[in-house]
Amino acid sequence: MDNEMTLTFLAISENEALARVAVTGFIAQLDPTIDELSEFKTVVSEAVSNAIIHGYEEDGKGVVTVHAKREDDIVTVSVMDKGLGIEDVSRAMEPLFTTKSEMERSGMGFTIMDSFSDQLTVMSKWQEGTTVTFTKKFYSVRTPVM
């Protein structure tokens, strides 16, 4: 392992930006392209927002943990909460499915995360919490894509 970090914060919406900035700084050493950086920030944002909004229902008391590790040019990030959990992960991952339609949620979070990562896994236990883990290989702006 080349590097590793863990960030823990209260489940309040303003901390979504904190997580995004911290993980962006963590991957900066890989010299990512603008597209890679944008996609990665989007995945982090979606995963953290889900933990805050769906896991803890924005109670401001729960804790979200973001763990990132870098091995060569591959970064793996896990976003963990001990909130409500997901009753049916397969259904939750369907495009347009949302449990918060009254909040004008689009139900595209997992679809976006999946399309912007090389691998996405969601582990959840009802009433115990959720862990979203995603992996992405980075191609340095100085290294041609093969």
Side-chain angles (χ1 to χ4, degrees):
M1 176 175 353
D2 293 336
N3 203 358
E4 186 173 9
M5 68 158 243
T6 301
L7 175 67
T8 303
F9 49 85
L10 286 178
I12 55 177
S13 59
E14 67 191 57
N15 284 335
E16 175 269 327
L18 170 66
R20 198 175 51 219
V21 168
V23 176
T24 299
F26 182 76
I27 65 170
Q29 300 155 343
L30 294 173
D31 201 14
T33 66
I34 296 296
D35 287 342
E36 288 174 328
L37 194 58
S38 178
E39 290 175 0
F40 203 73
K41 287 186 338 185
T42 299
V43 177
V44 170
S45 180
E46 290 290 339
V48 170
S49 292
N50 277 356
I52 293 168
I53 294 167
H54 298 286
Y56 292 116
E57 297 188 319
E58 300 182 86
D59 70 1
K61 298 175 188 165
V63 173
V64 178
T65 300
V66 177
H67 178 81
K69 66 179 178 178
R70 189 183 79 231
E71 296 179 43
D72 297 320
D73 54 0
I74 298 172
V75 177
T76 302
V77 175
S78 294
V79 177
M80 300 157 275
D81 70 69
K82 295 193 183 298
L84 294 175
I86 303 170
E87 280 188 276
D88 185 343
V89 172
S90 296
R91 181 132 192 256
M93 293 183 77
E94 291 176 7
L96 304 177
F97 176 80
T98 183
T99 58
K100 302 279 186 193
S101 57
E102 72 283 357
M103 294 177 66
E104 298 183 21
R105 306 299 297 179
S106 70
M108 294 299 292
F110 285 128
T111 302
I112 291 167
M113 286 185 257
D114 189 40
S115 68
F116 286 163
S117 15
D118 296 330
Q119 182 177 2
L120 175 72
T121 57
V122 180
M123 305 285 291
S124 189
K125 194 163 190 177
W126 183 242
Q127 300 295 323
E128 292 185 24
T130 302
T131 299
V132 175
T133 302
F134 54 95
T135 303
K136 185 163 182 71
K137 178 178 175 68
F138 287 86
Y139 299 92
S140 169
V141 293
R142 291 174 273 161
T143 306
V145 177
M146 305 273 172

